[in-house]
Amino acid sequence: MLSNFTLQDILGTTFAFCLFPFVIVFPGYVFGWIFELFEFRARLLPARFAIALILSVAISPILYYLVTSWFSLNAALVLTILIALVFVILVIYERPPLPQDWPWRTFLGIFLGWFVLAMFSLVDFQWGSRELYFSVASFDHTTRVSIIDAMTRTGVPPVNPSYYPGHSVKLTFLYFFWYILGSLVDFFGGKLVDARAALFASSIWCGVALMALIAFYLRLRDGRNAGKIWRRTFVGMASLSISGLDIIPAVAIMLYGHGAIGDIEHWNEIISAWVGSLLWVPHHVAGLVAGMVAVMLVHSAHTQVRTRQFTILVFSGISFASALGLSVWVTFVFVSFWGSWMLLLYFQKRQRAILFPMFVAGVAAFLFAGPFLFGLMSGSEGSSLPIVFDIRSFRLVDALLVNSSYLWRLFIRLVVLPINYFFEFGFYFLVALIWLRSNKSYLRENPYYLAEVLLLGVSFFIGTFMRSTLIENNDLGWRSWLPGQFVLLIWGVDVLDAFFASPFPRFAFSQRTKYNLILLAALGVSTSILDVTLLRFAYYFVFGSEAGHQFYSARLAYSTINEVLPKDAVVQYNPSEVVNHPVGLYGMRQSAISDRTAYGVPSDLYSAKVAEVSMIFNMENVQNWDSLDILCDEHFIDVIVIVNGDPLWKSLNLLEKQRVALYRDDYNSVFFCGSRLQPLPVP
């Protein structure tokens, strides 16, 4: 094995990336060709690739969920091989041509640029021989890596890797479809791919899928401008680098507030930049892709004959079923939009023919997602409402209103809402004003325009006036804006296309407006650059080299555990430490209790379990292993990982004379504990 962890991560992620087409390209190609979705057989190769990718994001999650949950990962492997064989046969048989004017060098440059940026942002950085630093995004990766690994070890739905009361507990109270694809790649890759590499590769592919969605959506929406499609596609892809004005408050906080910050978005209620969403939460972006595929399929269905229409609508429902398992919150926006769209079309009377297709797609979605919905509801904890009314917070203002009444805070939040959104959207805030002013008379001309306005409105309403309560973070408020952000990006393409191209009659720019667009775009790109920089280097600047030594030690310790312990071993660290990054990122074994995937575990039971297990690590002046073994047996623990901050650490000089450590250095020690696995004898 390579001694440099950065090189290990790069090679593992690259290999996982090369395996991902088996689950995220080939299925979409095969189903698109067989069922002629989006006129697949008439498309040239670049368009086929884009369609195959976004169709796979819309089909593979629910397909592999049903196969793995009803059968096994081995059955999914057989299915994947069959799909790959069909893909090869189709490509060899047809040899789809390339367009003569296809700017493949530009596409390749964009793809390689994104690949390098994502790899740079995600992998561990080893500095010197014994310092290691992970990305700030690993704060969330601890959960995602744990779930992917649990699926590879235990199947779908996975056993909860963070809760073991003496028997396995299924983890169903979670939207986990994206992790199934990562688990399959982890499973296919054997020892060359682990759960972290699979997660990182999935983020890279999700970025490529988002670019493919932009390209194909623009092609469907603006078919009459096909001659400019390459330029508009490049503008859309480049626009992914434009974020809001977060750089202004973030720099102010770093200069005049509390020093360095780890994530530029956390100065306020989050609306993530595209790059941040892809690195932190690719499953939510994948939910957006699947939802948009469902919308585009319905758009394409209402002009087809009845038999073709039914097939397309079934796949639209499949797309919605996948979206639900990828991101409940993003799908909630699409479902709300779907109902609003149907109501609007009914009263508008002009496009009532599309209402029945939309209804059929909804029924198909419910049927395909039924098993997952049942598991989701059965795993639900408590009786509190998952969504409540609230007005989006503006933390700079909220800090001044700590002692004010709740109603007064809501009123002030409503008053400053335009300022709040101006900071969050910046360039796109101005784009929305320009586009709506310029196109208000043309909404009926293009069937996509009205749907875009409605989707943006639904995102605005949910993201502004609702919040989720399942966890401390307002996940609904953070993710519900993704569909709206996509609409704004598409409108940004319209505005920028008119800005740089020949005069466009709908968009009349004053010189002042042009300067404002340039300034806001520059600030938006600067925000994304600072965001990536902070995600990569914040741990080094905030915690220093001592933390790097600790992280390096922890990775060595858990690498040893993964190499020598059986897959069903229960490994425990001190659970009173909130968000233990190493155990989530590197610990590919079951824990008795942990915070990283405590979904569905009643809060009182979780707190009691944490308090009991923490006793193992909080003991002082321990003379022998007897009391520790009793506690380990009581909680079904086989191995404990002791860090130098635990009170138990002070007793190690005596304890290691009685039992040999699996791993030991100045920061981490790993010992067998309890009676299930035989401890190493003292020489």
Side-chain angles (χ1 to χ4, degrees):
M1 180 177 292
L2 296 170
S3 59
N4 186 282
F5 287 127
T6 300
L7 192 56
Q8 283 186 35
D9 287 352
I10 291 174
L11 292 177
T13 302
T14 302
F15 188 63
F17 180 86
C18 295
L19 289 176
F20 249 100
F22 283 89
V23 295
I24 208 169
V25 176
F26 300 165
Y29 194 101
V30 171
F31 283 104
W33 191 94
I34 292 174
F35 296 100
E36 186 66 341
L37 302 174
F38 296 123
E39 289 76 43
F40 189 88
R41 298 175 201 169
R43 306 286 182 179
L44 298 177
L45 187 60
R48 286 192 179 195
F49 175 80
I51 296 171
L53 185 50
I54 62 176
L55 276 179
S56 293
V57 174
I59 294 172
S60 290
I62 186 66
L63 171 67
Y64 282 109
Y65 165 73
L66 294 174
V67 171
T68 53
S69 60
W70 289 351
F71 302 102
S72 66
L73 288 174
N74 286 320
L77 175 60
V78 172
L79 175 65
T80 302
I81 293 173
L82 291 176
I83 290 174
L85 289 174
V86 175
F87 167 79
V88 171
I89 292 171
L90 290 176
V91 171
I92 294 176
Y93 172 73
E94 283 197 304
R95 297 181 182 178
L98 289 169
Q100 294 182 351
D101 61 341
W102 182 42
W104 63 271
R105 289 184 178 87
T106 306
F107 275 111
L108 181 62
I110 293 173
F111 162 74
L112 290 177
W114 164 241
F115 184 90
V116 171
L117 175 65
M119 190 77 77
F120 165 83
S121 303
L122 292 170
V123 301
D124 286 356
F125 263 19
Q126 183 170 332
W127 188 262
S129 60
R130 298 189 68 83
E131 289 183 45
L132 195 70
Y133 301 93
F134 34 69
S135 166
V136 175
S138 63
F139 189 94
D140 276 7
H141 293 168
T142 56
T143 293
R144 316 201 196 298
V145 170
S146 297
I147 296 172
I148 291 173
D149 175 69
M151 285 181 175
T152 307
R153 288 187 290 107
T154 66
V156 178
V159 165
N160 190 332
S162 301
Y163 179 56
Y164 188 76
H167 56 85
S168 299
V169 177
K170 292 291 185 180
L171 184 61
T172 59
F173 189 46
L174 182 69
Y175 36 94
F176 54 67
F177 281 10
W178 188 248
Y179 312 131
I180 298 175
L181 306 185
S183 176
L184 289 170
V185 170
D186 182 14
F187 180 68
F188 299 162
K191 293 184 178 180
L192 297 177
V193 175
D194 62 9
R196 286 178 67 249
L199 175 66
F200 296 165
S202 78
S203 290
I204 300 173
W205 271 108
C206 192
V208 180
L210 179 59
M211 296 179 200
L213 174 65
I214 292 169
F216 191 64
Y217 181 82
L218 287 171
R219 182 65 180 85
L220 288 184
R221 173 188 187 256
D222 304 315
R224 288 176 293 180
N225 294 322
K228 301 190 298 181
I229 190 61
W230 297 126
R231 185 183 72 201
R232 290 173 60 80
T233 296
F234 295 145
V235 170
M237 292 178 178
S239 297
L240 291 172
S241 65
I242 302 176
S243 182
L245 306 180
D246 306 84
I247 190 172
I248 298 174
V251 170
I253 291 171
M254 287 189 285
L255 291 178
Y256 305 108
H258 305 288
I261 58 176
D263 181 11
I264 197 172
E265 302 285 355
H266 277 85
W267 73 272
N268 196 18
E269 193 78 78
I270 288 177
I271 296 177
S272 289
W274 287 110
V275 173
S277 292
L278 290 167
L279 297 178
W280 283 81
V281 288
H283 57 295
H284 288 300
V285 180
L288 164 69
V289 174
M292 289 304 303
V293 168
V295 172
M296 291 189 292
L297 283 170
V298 165
H299 261 303
S300 69
H302 75 281
T303 59
Q304 303 289 329
V305 298
R306 181 69 67 180
T307 53
R308 287 276 303 119
Q309 189 179 87
F310 179 79
T311 300
I312 294 172
L313 293 174
V314 168
F315 277 96
S316 179
I318 289 173
S319 301
F320 267 129
S322 285
L324 180 65
L326 292 167
S327 172
V328 167
W329 304 126
V330 172
T331 306
F332 178 70
V333 175
F334 274 108
V335 170
S336 302
F337 156 74
W338 206 253
S340 303
W341 194 15
M342 292 180 70
L343 193 64
L344 180 64
L345 292 176
Y346 177 80
F347 285 108
Q348 195 181 38
K349 298 182 180 180
R350 295 187 60 187
Q351 291 182 296
R352 283 187 174 179
I354 202 176
L355 288 175
F356 180 71
M358 294 177 72
F359 175 77
V360 172
V363 172
F366 181 79
L367 292 176
F368 280 101
F372 171 71
L373 279 172
F374 178 78
L376 194 68
M377 299 303 294
S378 65
S380 178
E381 175 201 352
S383 57
S384 60
L385 293 174
I387 300 174
V388 297
F389 169 81
D390 197 8
I391 295 179
R392 189 176 192 88
S393 68
F394 190 27
R395 291 179 183 171
L396 295 179
V397 173
D398 286 357
L400 303 175
L401 302 173
V402 174
N403 298 320
S404 302
S405 68
Y406 175 66
L407 290 178
W408 179 248
R409 285 202 306 272
L410 291 184
F411 175 74
I412 297 299
R413 286 180 183 177
L414 192 61
V415 170
V416 300
L417 200 60
I419 301 174
N420 191 349
Y421 278 135
F422 179 68
F423 271 102
E424 289 297 335
F425 289 108
F427 170 80
Y428 292 110
F429 188 94
L430 183 55
V431 160
L433 297 179
I434 295 172
W435 196 96
L436 289 170
R437 182 191 63 197
S438 304
N439 285 279
K440 60 184 178 182
S441 302
Y442 299 93
L443 293 181
R444 296 177 183 271
E445 180 180 299
N446 188 319
Y448 286 90
Y449 286 0
L450 188 61
E452 288 168 3
V453 172
L454 187 59
L455 182 56
L456 177 62
V458 171
S459 286
F460 169 80
F461 181 82
I462 294 175
T464 303
F465 299 109
M466 296 181 183
R467 67 172 291 115
S468 54
T469 63
L470 296 179
I471 59 176
E472 182 180 355
N473 295 332
N474 178 19
D475 232 11
L476 175 61
W478 294 6
R479 312 308 171 195
S480 61
W481 262 107
L482 276 171
Q485 286 177 268
F486 182 78
V487 171
L488 291 175
L489 185 141
I490 297 300
W491 290 0
V493 173
D494 292 341
V495 172
L496 289 173
D497 191 38
F499 185 96
F500 291 110
S502 58
F504 197 74
R506 294 186 196 173
F507 297 96
F509 300 110
S510 66
Q511 201 65 26
R512 182 179 179 180
T513 300
K514 289 183 177 181
Y515 287 144
N516 287 335
L517 282 171
I518 294 172
L519 174 62
L520 293 174
L523 287 171
V525 173
S526 300
T527 294
S528 295
I529 293 172
L530 179 59
D531 189 18
V532 171
T533 303
L534 290 173
L535 289 178
R536 178 67 273 171
F537 296 113
Y539 273 120
Y540 176 80
F541 290 115
V542 173
F543 298 108
S545 60
E546 184 65 18
H549 292 304
Q550 292 175 341
F551 299 153
Y552 183 86
S553 165
R555 181 155 180 177
L556 283 176
Y558 283 102
S559 296
T560 301
I561 289 172
N562 297 335
E563 289 174 6
V564 304
L565 291 183
K567 294 287 187 180
D568 61 346
V570 179
V571 179
Q572 186 61 50
Y573 71 101
N574 191 342
S576 60
E577 180 182 350
V578 179
V579 190
N580 183 305
H581 287 79
V583 70
L585 296 174
Y586 316 125
M588 310 301 180
R589 295 294 184 272
Q590 178 73 46
S591 294
I593 192 67
S594 172
D595 66 329
R596 63 189 190 277
T597 58
Y599 304 107
V601 181
S603 57
D604 55 343
L605 191 155
Y606 170 81
S607 299
K609 187 81 169 175
V610 167
E612 293 169 2
V613 174
S614 296
M615 293 173 58
I616 298 172
F617 304 90
N618 294 333
M619 287 186 176
E620 296 181 352
N621 300 317
V622 179
Q623 301 300 309
N624 56 58
W625 283 92
D626 293 345
S627 58
L628 297 174
D629 286 337
I630 290 173
L631 286 173
C632 286
D633 282 336
E634 182 178 338
H635 296 285
F636 311 98
I637 296 169
D638 301 313
V639 171
I640 56 175
V641 181
I642 310 167
V643 301
N644 60 354
D646 294 330
L648 183 59
W649 184 272
K650 297 177 182 178
S651 302
L652 282 189
N653 288 334
L654 179 61
L655 292 175
E656 66 182 351
K657 293 178 181 178
Q658 305 168 28
R659 187 169 297 176
V660 175
L662 276 170
Y663 179 86
R664 174 80 156 93
D665 63 18
D666 293 337
Y667 300 96
N668 289 270
S669 290
V670 181
F671 288 92
F672 286 107
C673 187
S675 58
R676 197 169 80 96
L677 296 180
Q678 188 65 36
L680 297 175
V682 178

